[in-house]
Amino acid sequence: MSGHRVQSGPPSLSPRERQVLAHIGAGLTHHQIARRLGISVHTVDTYTRRIRAKRTAPTLADLVRLSVTQDGV
């Protein structure tokens, strides 16, 4: 199986997804996150959707919980 990578566990988050998740965990709104990172609110929404797709986090509380756990980031 050379050339094939077997991924165990959930897909990893990108550096930007980790940044957005950290800001969500700190209690910032999507508007505040967008301003701090110099991106649009729509882009923050996109990163949030990607995080939710990669991890089981259907609610804001789940995202916050994920942001404070070692395996979430």
Side-chain angles (χ1 to χ4, degrees):
M1 296 199 137
S2 64
H4 294 280
R5 294 173 69 189
V6 177
Q7 187 172 5
S8 63
S12 61
L13 299 180
S14 72
R16 192 61 126 181
E17 289 166 347
R18 288 193 301 270
Q19 279 183 316
V20 169
L21 184 60
H23 286 308
I24 290 170
L28 298 179
T29 66
H30 285 199
H31 288 322
Q32 292 168 324
I33 295 168
R35 269 197 309 269
R36 289 210 180 168
L37 297 180
I39 58 179
S40 72
V41 174
H42 176 76
T43 304
V44 174
D45 291 336
T46 298
Y47 284 126
T48 303
R49 275 194 310 277
R50 289 179 185 171
I51 294 165
R52 286 182 164 147
K54 290 179 178 182
R55 301 289 196 273
T56 304
T59 67
L60 177 59
D62 292 322
L63 287 172
V64 171
R65 191 175 307 111
L66 183 62
S67 76
V68 297
T69 62
Q70 288 287 40
D71 57 292
V73 184

